[in-house]
Amino acid sequence: MSQRAVLNCLKFSLVATLLLILQPVFSQTKKSTAPSLFPDLESAIEPRRKDLGGDLMVYVANRDTVVYQKAFGDVNNRTQAPAGAASTWFTTALVLQLVDEGKISLDDKVTQYLPVYGSYYKSYITVRHCLTNTTGIKAEPFKTANVHEMARFASLEEEVANYAKIDIAANAGDAYNYNGMGTNIAARIVEIVTKKKFEQLMRQRIFTPLGMRNSTFASDDGSAPNPAFGAKTTAADFIRFLQMILNNGVFAGKQILSEKAVAEMRKIQVESSRMNGVSKAFAGLEQTLGVWAIEGSEKVGASASALVYPSLTGVWPMVDFSRGYAFVLLPKTFTGEQNSNVYMGLKQVFDEKWKGRKNDAR
């Protein structure tokens, strides 16, 4: 074989190898190339940018296609930002995977995995209580500062063991109190059941299958991960997660969650009238399993038609099942407090624009 032929073969092999490596990157989610499908949305965002954080990424998608993406200010597709309280949505999905596999039941008592809780009069707390902020464990009213002032622990095991010593303020299931303790307890149970660390499980089971390459729960200082508030992600990554939820657990042909798990996630667990210590961002919302109902009946057990997880970091991820779209707004930084009226105003603009689009809601 001539030298030229050998070189040509090598070039062909290299190209073929690169195509095989890059194939998953291009096959996950189709993207629209239309320059401005939703100018009304841009017109609504621009005058509100200061209230939304200034520099922010916005993504909109249906079940298989990103139909709109835009950078406002100094951000791009790789700009990573804190997910804040919306981190709980990722953690809930991880817990529900274990429920799908029969390794955990939502109605298991936490003492089945954490016997120390029985020694401190917490024998009636269940995994479901943990994911609905109804553990009854005493906590201060939630504020932005609480997240930054939380004690740093070397591991999730150490942190959750410390929760066992905190006083009970109400019987499990009786009172609602928004804080991250329940989410972190549920995440620790997942570690115990799988014998793996939380951040490893999240990467292997949620982030990697969804192609969320720029998402992590790793802490900057090497302390324990925070399953309730500690994720860092990009808007491009987050929209993939939301598409999976919109598709009843399926993304790019892969079953991440069962349809039953997503249905459970949509069930109203706590009415807004029972909630204590929530910020303005959650005003008027009902608690479902690990996330919030933005549209739906206030009746416990009813299914929400749209889910959202506002965060004090300014991120606003939303899935609208009835209209068939997902939306995420992710600011680079955010120093204020979310005003639900601002975000609901944007949703109304987009709902109006979405009317008449065919084959999106099905």
Side-chain angles (χ1 to χ4, degrees):
M1 184 180 292
S2 69
Q3 186 176 9
R4 181 183 296 275
V6 171
L7 287 173
N8 286 337
C9 287
L10 288 172
K11 289 178 181 178
F12 177 81
S13 298
L14 178 60
V15 170
T17 301
L18 285 171
L19 286 173
L20 287 172
I21 293 171
L22 294 173
Q23 184 179 7
V25 175
F26 297 120
S27 65
Q28 294 290 343
T29 302
K30 293 181 285 184
K31 293 183 179 179
S32 170
T33 56
S36 181
L37 289 175
F38 306 105
D40 293 343
L41 185 60
E42 294 175 19
S43 298
I45 289 174
E46 280 293 354
R48 297 174 170 90
R49 275 182 58 186
K50 184 177 180 181
D51 293 331
L52 296 170
D55 300 319
L56 54 111
M57 281 295 303
V58 176
Y59 268 73
V60 183
N62 61 21
R63 286 173 167 81
D64 60 8
T65 305
V66 172
V67 298
Y68 175 87
Q69 64 180 76
K70 184 172 176 63
F72 293 83
D74 183 25
V75 290
N76 57 51
N77 287 336
R78 293 182 177 273
T79 300
Q80 192 182 65
S87 307
T88 295
W89 206 343
F90 300 147
T91 301
T92 299
L94 179 62
V95 173
L96 284 172
Q97 276 196 348
L98 275 292
V99 173
D100 279 341
E101 295 167 12
K103 296 176 180 176
I104 294 174
S105 167
L106 290 173
D107 297 312
D108 283 346
K109 291 183 171 60
V110 299
T111 50
Q112 181 176 332
Y113 310 96
L114 297 161
V116 67
Y117 276 67
S119 302
Y120 291 93
Y121 310 104
K122 298 177 179 65
S123 298
Y124 297 102
I125 299 174
T126 66
V127 176
R128 188 184 301 276
H129 293 144
C130 290
L131 294 178
T132 57
N133 294 297
T134 57
T135 62
I137 299 175
K138 186 177 181 180
E140 296 297 322
F142 186 83
K143 298 178 181 178
T144 309
N146 294 155
V147 179
H148 303 291
E149 294 173 1
M150 291 173 69
R152 296 296 182 182
F153 294 88
S155 67
L156 194 57
E157 177 182 6
E158 180 185 343
E159 182 171 358
V160 170
N162 185 69
Y163 295 161
K165 304 171 187 177
I166 300 174
D167 291 341
I168 283 286
N171 292 329
D174 284 355
Y176 180 93
N177 197 335
Y178 182 70
N179 61 73
M181 287 189 285
T183 301
N184 291 351
I185 292 169
R188 173 56 187 152
I189 289 172
V190 168
E191 286 190 333
I192 292 168
V193 170
T194 61
K195 296 180 173 61
K196 293 181 179 180
K197 294 297 183 182
F198 169 78
E199 57 268 40
Q200 176 188 3
L201 290 164
M202 186 60 68
R203 184 175 64 252
Q204 291 178 346
R205 286 173 164 264
I206 302 295
F207 292 156
T208 297
L210 290 173
M212 296 172 66
R213 294 173 176 83
N214 295 302
S215 299
T216 181
F217 270 89
S219 60
D220 295 333
D221 60 3
S223 60
N226 190 332
F229 304 113
K232 294 181 286 291
T233 189
T234 66
D237 277 6
F238 213 140
I239 199 68
R240 291 167 173 259
F241 178 84
L242 299 177
Q243 282 181 293
M244 180 271 290
I245 300 297
L246 183 61
N247 269 306
N248 290 317
V250 177
F251 181 80
K254 292 180 288 190
Q255 191 84 44
I256 308 298
L257 288 176
S258 71
E259 187 171 344
K260 181 180 179 182
V262 176
E264 190 69 40
M265 186 183 284
R266 293 175 62 181
K267 286 182 183 177
I268 306 296
Q269 305 283 329
V270 184
E271 313 95 314
S272 58
S273 58
R274 289 181 56 201
M275 296 185 183
N276 299 311
V278 296
S279 74
K280 294 177 182 178
F282 303 102
L285 303 182
E286 280 79 47
Q287 174 82 76
T288 65
L289 192 75
V291 62
W292 300 78
I294 198 171
E295 288 181 4
S297 169
E298 289 190 2
K299 184 179 179 182
V300 171
S303 182
S305 60
L307 296 176
V308 68
Y309 213 120
S311 170
L312 297 181
T313 60
V315 63
W316 209 80
M318 187 271 301
V319 173
D320 190 319
F321 295 93
S322 63
R323 296 174 181 86
Y325 75 88
F327 173 100
V328 63
L329 184 153
L330 186 75
K332 183 178 180 180
T333 57
F334 189 76
T335 57
E337 182 174 6
Q338 273 200 359
N339 185 331
S340 59
N341 291 332
V342 173
Y343 296 89
M344 288 304 295
L346 294 178
K347 185 179 187 304
Q348 288 172 4
V349 170
F350 190 71
D351 286 351
E352 187 65 29
K353 189 67 180 179
W354 196 261
K355 285 181 180 178
R357 290 181 62 87
K358 297 180 179 179
N359 301 320
D360 286 323
R362 61 182 186 268

